[in-house]
Amino acid sequence: MTSHARPAVPGTFRSDLILFMTIAFVMSWAAWAVAIALGDAPAATAFHGLGAFGPLAGALVIRRRRTRRGEPVPARAVRYRRAALAWAPALLLLGSATVLAGAFLAHAAGGPGLSLEPGMDMIEANPGGPVSFLATMLLLGPVSEEPGWRGTAYPRMRASMNRYTVALVLGLIWAVWHMPLFFVHGTVQNELGATTPSGVLFAASSVPMAMLVCHAYERAGVLAAVATHFAVNLTMVMLGVEEPVTQAMIMGIQGVVAVALLATVREGTAAPAAPAPAPAARPDGAARIG
């Protein structure tokens, strides 16, 4: 007698989300707590980097759990397609353009001018040079986070919320998750300060950026989300964005662009969930549920 795994319904995702969030927060915050305690000691850098992988660890655990249980991929998940290879460069440019546009408008309004000097200084200070700098920018943030926040949490939250609500809520959660970095020596957040206007705006910028990255995920999956996240981070770092007026202008541009782009994604864009394989039959003829 053949038995099939139950279809993934919104109610089943609550435990997935709780488990994912627990792993992401506990692993990241524990590592960052050690980094905070170590202060400016060289070992603090390793724990700072380790903390970035909390969302990826959570994503891998949820994927393993889904596979073991024989559950289908969430209906709102956007699986990898060849089209993602075409979308990724376009969304990378778009992500960078939102930062450049905001910085340019801020300068036109009397804010600081655009300069690549801050970024070049960081590259020169990096022991591994430009390649190491770019690899670190790609790994710590885009690659370590997007399979979790967008690839795992987003489609499960979409099962019961519209894309705008999910992007907003996930952006707020993302901002809270980043908060310990304000106390880790050497981070951008630490240099800005948690209670300064720049620090507050930096934390708040997680929301419009999350909306922009959520659009990328809806459009072409995790690869596109990674590209957008990387583009925004890299452009912000290269321009050395710190002034409140520039931060506010970038947030406004990203918010408007993200809302408009999310409206263009058709409901059918996300790839349908693949049917779960039937559980292996036991010798006695009964189906075994993993």
Side-chain angles (χ1 to χ4, degrees), residues 231-252:
V232 172
N233 280 4
L234 180 63
T235 310
M236 293 280 286
V237 168
M238 291 301 296
L239 293 179
V241 175
E242 294 183 356
E243 293 297 322
V245 62
T246 307
Q247 291 175 304
M249 195 65 74
I250 292 171
M251 288 174 59

Side-chain angles (χ1 to χ4, degrees), residues 187-225:
T187 63
V188 173
Q189 293 92 328
N190 182 254
E191 293 176 0
L192 293 176
T195 58
T196 66
S198 293
V200 171
L201 285 170
F202 191 96
S205 68
S206 292
V207 175
M209 182 175 169
M211 296 177 69
L212 196 65
V213 181
C214 284
H215 159 263
Y217 175 77
E218 285 253 12
R219 181 65 66 182
V222 172
L223 178 60

